[in-house]
């Protein structure tokens, strides 16, 4: 028996799924997985071989309940856990821990990673950002998280929200840039795959020496001839042109400011 | 003696530097490196132990001249090579091969990578995009390029320009996103390093299943509550807020359009 006892997971989305698999990989059988939707419940049971429940009885018997549902549904789930004696956490990057404060013991267990049901990811390097409303539960949650990751960090609501906002830029918006690249290359019968070494090197370099120092390109060197040509080439793509212009201006202004300092 | 004979490099920038090192690593001694600026010439000679020249005499004796200078300086260099009997190429992503058409044999040798003097990069995976104005020289340049890379591609001006434009998005603008993430994290006493697993997984996923399918986040799922909160959090960062808004709108519109199809 583990020191953190019986674990209940609530939800059937990508994060809930990944957590279930993760527990099982570590030899920890989830005590139960709560899934309201019957069809999804069946699928989770078949895919993961866990005990799937659709009422809260068994959840209330657990020692740690991990709510991994859409942000908007967390409050509703919390109403069922007012009498809960265990520690209840959610896995949201944006929602306050206080959303669960009608339970005695509450917190957050936020894995900073993009997840999907079909991809295996290595968890050891993934930051697990934890919070709990008592030092004992912080310690308990930290011990639990360290079973899966080498990067467990205590994080209050404000820091976690800042991290989530930063993640939108470094992950979602970076993805958009790859998407635009993909589109422009396809229009010319070329494949995004050509870009892989360039992207990998730029990312590596940015993490090693800082994004600012790693930046190259026409905007960075104030090459207005090339910028003008690019803007002309984007004539048929007004949305992508607008993005080109705002980001080019951002780079030019930022580096001019830095050079004046 | 190599089949492509004596090689001259013109320039002392990051690309010229990297090419020199690359040739030497492959046991090919550059015939000469032309550097106009005396101070830079001295540095190149000391760093790389190559024969550095400041007049074009020796360049004119070579069989392949690689012009690796700023885009704006290519034309000036070309005026010295009108009588050149060898193949002259430039390494620019944006400039037309025709810029060199006063020489008999001309072309392009464009390595699709970000380079700096101090970083060692593995060249084998880097696309080398080549062009020449005769089939014989295409073949010669291709043989030469294959000494260094497994990804040698013939590419006309239009394709190369499209690639360069796409590279601005996938490399420079992606870098800007990492820079904004870095800034927002620093404002909260946190380090960009926290983001490395997330960024790496998202990039990997985007190349494997396409950026479009790999996209997650509030804009993708139409989570306007979180978007609103993020916009509030960016109140003190108007430039970053403007970027947040334009990219969020771009995602929302694009995916709505796709879902309607």
């Amino acid at each position: 028996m583990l020191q953190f006892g019986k674990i209940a997971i609530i939800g059937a989305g990508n994060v809930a799924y990944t957590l279930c698999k993760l527990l099982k990989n570590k030899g920890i059988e989830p005590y139960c997985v709560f899934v309201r939707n019957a069809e999804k419940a069946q699928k989770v049971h078949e895919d993961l071989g866990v005990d799937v429940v659709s009422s809260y009885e068994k959840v209330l018997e657990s020692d740690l309940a991990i709510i991994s549902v859409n942000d908007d549904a967390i409050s509703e789930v919390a109403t069922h856990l007012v009498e809960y004696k265990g520690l209840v956490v959610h896995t949201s990057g944006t929602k306050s821990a206080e959303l669960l404060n009608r339970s005695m013991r509450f917190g957050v267990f936020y894995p900073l990673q993009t997840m999907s049901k079909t991809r295996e990811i290595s968890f050891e390097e993934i930051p697990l950002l934890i919070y709990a409303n008592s030092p004992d539960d912080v310690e308990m949650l930290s011990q639990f998280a360290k079973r899966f990751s080498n990067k467990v960090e205590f994080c209050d609501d404000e820091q976690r929200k800042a991290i989530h906002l930063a993640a939108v830029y470094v992950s979602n918006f970076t993805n958009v840039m790859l998407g635009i690249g993909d589109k422009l290359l396809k229009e010319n019968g070329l494949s995004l795959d050509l870009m892989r070494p360039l992207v990998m090197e730029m990312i590596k370099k940015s993490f090693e020496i800082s994004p600012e120092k790693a930046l190259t390109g026409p905007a960075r060197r104030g090459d207005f001839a090339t910028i003008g040509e690019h803007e002309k080439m984007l004539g048929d793509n007004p949305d992508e042109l607008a993005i080109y212009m705002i980001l080019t201006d951002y780079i030019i202004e930022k580096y001019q400011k830095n050079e004046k300092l």
Side-chain angles (χ1 to χ4, degrees), chain A:
Chain A
M1 185 58 93
L2 295 159
Q3 60 185 357
F4 26 85
K6 300 169 189 162
I7 295 159
I9 293 173
I10 296 144
N14 293 341
V15 177
Y17 230 77
T18 305
L19 288 177
C20 275
K21 281 201 271 186
L22 190 65
L23 286 169
K24 288 182 79 91
N25 285 345
K26 292 281 170 183
I28 306 170
E29 185 64 30
Y31 185 62
C32 63
V33 179
F34 178 93
V35 184
R36 200 167 37 182
N37 177 295
E39 207 174 305
K40 281 189 192 163
Q42 180 65 18
K43 179 144 175 53
V44 171
H45 178 67
E46 276 168 19
D47 284 4
L48 303 173
V50 289
D51 185 10
V52 180
V53 297
S54 61
S55 89
Y56 281 94
E57 273 169 50
K58 213 173 160 187
V59 174
L60 290 168
E61 290 166 11
S62 70
D63 301 295
L64 172 63
I66 303 176
I67 302 178
S68 194
V69 298
N70 280 344
D71 282 1
D72 297 339
I74 296 172
S75 292
E76 195 277 326
V77 172
T79 61
H80 300 278
L81 298 172
V82 175
E83 303 295 317
Y84 187 55
K85 298 284 179 291
L87 171 63
V88 54
V89 296
H90 67 59
T91 59
S92 164
T94 45
K95 289 294 171 181
S96 168
E98 296 294 324
L99 214 58
L100 305 175
N101 69 5
R102 283 192 287 174
S103 303
M104 281 268 286
R105 299 164 53 202
F106 61 91
V108 177
F109 180 84
Y110 173 52
L112 182 55
Q113 185 53 288
T114 175
M115 294 177 196
S116 46
K117 292 195 175 80
T118 51
R119 283 177 72 85
E120 295 291 335
I121 45 174
S122 139
F123 237 81
E124 279 96 66
E125 298 304 312
I126 295 175
L128 289 179
L129 310 180
I130 60 163
Y131 173 83
N133 70 325
S134 82
D136 282 357
D137 281 338
V138 169
E139 183 52 30
M140 194 276 254
L141 206 53
S142 166
Q143 289 304 324
F144 175 70
K146 281 177 183 163
R147 293 282 304 253
F148 312 111
S149 163
N150 304 322
K151 287 194 187 166
V152 176
E153 307 257 4
F154 179 84
C155 219
D156 63 24
D157 275 352
E158 207 180 334
Q159 284 180 315
R160 190 164 32 83
K161 284 179 191 178
I163 289 169
H164 186 261
L165 174 56
V168 169
Y169 287 92
V170 303
S171 177
N172 307 155
F173 291 166
T174 289
N175 175 290
V176 171
M177 298 307 139
L178 297 180
I180 296 176
D182 191 26
K183 181 183 166 176
L184 297 173
L185 289 167
K186 274 195 189 127
E187 287 174 4
N188 286 277
L190 296 157
S191 153
L192 181 65
D193 223 49
L194 211 58
M195 296 293 174
R196 198 195 281 246
L198 173 65
V199 174
M200 289 304 176
E201 168 67 7
M202 186 282 300
I203 299 275
K204 251 175 72 183
K205 206 166 151 181
S206 296
F207 277 105
E208 281 171 27
I209 65 172
S210 92
E212 213 162 335
K213 286 182 193 146
L215 185 60
T216 57
R220 173 69 189 92
R221 56 175 190 270
D223 175 354
F224 293 101
T226 298
I227 292 169
E229 208 178 321
H230 282 170
E231 289 178 353
K232 226 185 286 167
M233 287 168 72
L234 288 165
D236 294 333
N237 292 302
D239 296 339
E240 288 76 9
L241 174 60
I243 292 170
Y244 187 96
M245 290 172 82
I246 196 172
L247 293 177
T248 293
D249 287 351
Y250 183 80
I251 295 171
I252 291 169
E253 268 182 43
K254 188 172 161 191
Y255 283 87
Q256 275 178 350
K257 241 184 259 166
N258 285 356
E259 271 150 26
K260 270 189 206 141
L261 292 178

